[in-house]
Amino acid sequence: MLQVSVRHAFEGFTLDASFEAPPGVTVLFGRSGSGKTTIVNAVAGLLMPDEGRIAAGDWVLLDTAKGVRLPPHRRRLGYIFQEGRLFPHLTVAQNLAYGARFAPKDAPREDRGRIVDLLGIGALLDRRPGALSGGEKARVAIGRALLSAPKLILADEPLASLDEARKAEILPYFERLRDEVAVPILYVSHSASEVARLATTVVALEAGRVTGQGPAAEVLGDPGVLPAGAREAGALLTARVVRHHEDGLTELDAGGAPLFLPRVGQAPGASLRLRIAAHDVIVSRGRPEGLSALNILAGHVQEIRPGGGPGVIVAIDTPAGRVLARITRRSAEALGLAPGAAVHAVVKTVSVAPSDIGASAAASVPAE
Amino acid sequence: MALSLRVAFWATLLSLPFGILAAHALARWTFPGKQVLNGLIHLPLVLPPVVTGYLLLLAFGTRGALGGFLADLGIVFAFRWTGAALAAAVMAFPLMVRAIRLSIEAVDPRLEQASATLGASPVWVFLTVTLPMALPGIVAGAILAFAKAMGEFGATITFVSNIPGETRTIPSAIYAFLQVPGGEASATKLVIVSVVVAMGALLLSEIIGRRVAERVGGR
């Protein structure tokens, strides 16, 4: 369990954040300028905050009250930078080996062959970074961090500089890291779909302050915490694949409620996490008839929050989990929505983007 | 000729570690007196060489403050070829430091940070990232310093005079030939040698620099 508490004053901006990161992927989620990267740099030791304490169990990285300030090279972290930062004068193999020589002899190490296979970089080992594509660089950077025998992995928007196709290529590797590598990961992102796919825990940040933290589904389902703004709001559901239908749909079971999605790659029985964007959800008082949408979840309004402009965010508790809907205030009033009201949340099958659907072994990661 | 090469070779080789250290300090560290150090290093560039030579004589002459101490250790500079090498090194030092400093400043500090997060202590960061990436500039700086050392005249003749076989480097020899009637032919030969050596050094630095840059640029 990583515990972070930092205060640092910049000109015109004060960071004052405390949070805990249990095993798995903890995503620092917020808009640019919310202080995410500053926090990660403080954990890495690249920035020495005015005050704070950063510790993983009894491994204390920083404790200004006691005068403990470990320099970066003694923190045993694997930092995956946004721009990769591979060493251009070394080959891929030498980049991968770079961190290992500085790690203590008895440190638990990842097997190099396994990591190379996991990231699919076996064919690149003799090349230099100048000859790699953006996606290849990103994968080598992940490998280099993993193979330095880190106690914690930091990732600062590792996908931000990649195009959508490359993102779709790299995201599954992070899912596999989360599910197959024991090292906890602190991951910075401003992308709601990255958060939905990767996060075990979400720490929402706004203007240097933590506005919400906890299990991913809880934080993303809280209409009071919208770190990316109302437009990006969306809830996280966990569902099990029931079967693939002939007509290209996959039937899921979400807490007893059936859901239909465009065909997904996972086999029946597999667990999925999917993000339902709030602007894709329609709210109906009665059970809708003669509607093309396949997914209708019965539930109760839990909370209504103004969502900026003419909109509101309605949180609806359904058997499948908490769903957020972004509708106009006018509609909310016309329907007479209030906490406790019985409603139906309607989700079009095709509105769930493939990039918002991911594997979910994270749900089973036990809390420490 | 051989003497000139020997003087320039040792002047370059022995001043290189100090040059790299000074360049790194100026490029990366902040410390009190940084501007003073910068000024001292560049002083030989702007002082009349005769003044530099005279200052060296005061400091390292047999009765100079440092010279007397070093003489007890068996190291004598005054009126020896070693003194010519010292004078050449001092005069070439600013050029060397400038070239190396620029190349160190061109190394992306974010790569040095990445190296530190992977567990490299500051010394290892320098040896495994900064130094190899700055190599083209270091090579260029060393060759430039070598060429300058070959041609140093003013400080050398002031400090260690013009003793045949001991301190008579090529420029001193040219000067000496030009002082005697009929020495022009011999002087011309040496002038050609000087030009060839200088051009060769510049070409070599260009070629080596480019080759190293290709390797560091990584393809």
Side-chain angles (χ1 to χ4, degrees), chain A residues 73 77 83 85 88-89 98 128, chain B residues 110 113 115-117 120 128 216:
Chain A
H73 67 276
L77 305 164
E83 337 81 70
R85 302 197 191 178
H89 58 297
Y98 190 88
R128 288 182 197 278
Chain B
R110 296 177 308 171
Q113 284 186 342
S115 164
T117 64
T128 59
V216 171

Side-chain angles (χ1 to χ4, degrees), chain A residues 18-283:
Chain A
S18 298
F19 63 91
E20 294 188 343
V25 175
T26 299
V27 176
L28 298 177
F29 184 31
R31 290 186 236 220
S32 46
S34 59
K36 310 180 295 279
T37 300
T38 309
I39 291 176
V40 170
N41 282 339
V43 174
L46 299 179
L47 173 124
M48 288 296 175
D50 298 338
E51 276 179 70
R53 185 171 191 280
I54 299 171
D58 50 9
W59 173 250
V60 180
L61 303 177
L62 175 84
D63 191 339
T64 49
K66 293 201 178 120
V68 179
R69 288 167 189 265
L70 280 194
H73 67 276
R74 291 181 50 208
R75 295 197 175 196
R76 308 271 323 279
L77 305 164
Y79 197 151
I80 303 165
F81 296 92
Q82 187 172 334
E83 337 81 70
R85 302 197 191 178
L86 299 178
F87 302 123
H89 58 297
L90 302 179
T91 63
V92 167
Q94 289 168 327
N95 266 285
L96 292 175
Y98 190 88
R101 81 175 97 162
F102 301 112
K105 294 276 171 292
D106 56 346
R109 281 159 201 270
E110 297 292 339
D111 178 55
R112 195 186 104 120
R114 192 174 85 91
I115 298 298
V116 167
D117 287 345
L118 183 85
L119 296 167
I121 49 179
L124 312 175
L125 293 175
D126 295 330
R127 296 205 213 154
R128 288 182 197 278
L132 301 182
S133 72
E136 288 168 342
K137 277 184 194 158
R139 282 183 282 157
V140 174
I142 296 168
R144 185 181 67 173
L146 281 174
L147 290 171
S148 66
K151 292 191 168 185
L152 175 72
I153 289 176
L154 306 175
D156 182 11
E157 307 219 24
L159 309 182
S161 59
L162 304 176
D163 58 34
E164 288 304 319
R166 295 286 87 71
K167 275 183 197 168
E169 170 195 329
I170 305 295
L171 255 178
Y173 293 114
F174 274 102
E175 287 177 332
R176 286 164 82 174
L177 290 190
R178 176 193 64 200
D179 302 337
E180 294 176 26
V181 175
V183 185
I185 301 174
L186 192 58
Y187 188 105
V188 165
S189 180
H190 66 264
S191 150
S193 60
E194 267 173 60
V195 177
R197 291 208 28 194
L198 291 178
T200 318
T201 306
V202 171
V203 176
L205 286 164
E206 224 168 304
R209 266 154 233 283
V210 174
T211 53
Q213 59 177 309
E218 245 172 63
V219 176
L220 295 178
D222 183 347
V225 182
L226 303 172
R231 188 167 286 280
E232 291 288 314
L236 184 62
L237 300 184
T238 306
R240 197 173 48 80
V241 176
V242 177
R243 62 173 166 274
H244 300 301
H245 288 262
E246 291 286 307
D247 57 357
L249 295 184
T250 296
E251 181 181 344
L252 306 177
D253 174 82
L259 284 178
F260 293 90
L261 289 186
R263 172 75 62 102
V264 299
Q266 282 82 353
S271 200
L272 288 186
R273 17 196 304 157
L274 49 138
R275 178 174 168 273
I276 309 288
H279 56 69
D280 287 334
V281 177
I282 295 169
V283 181

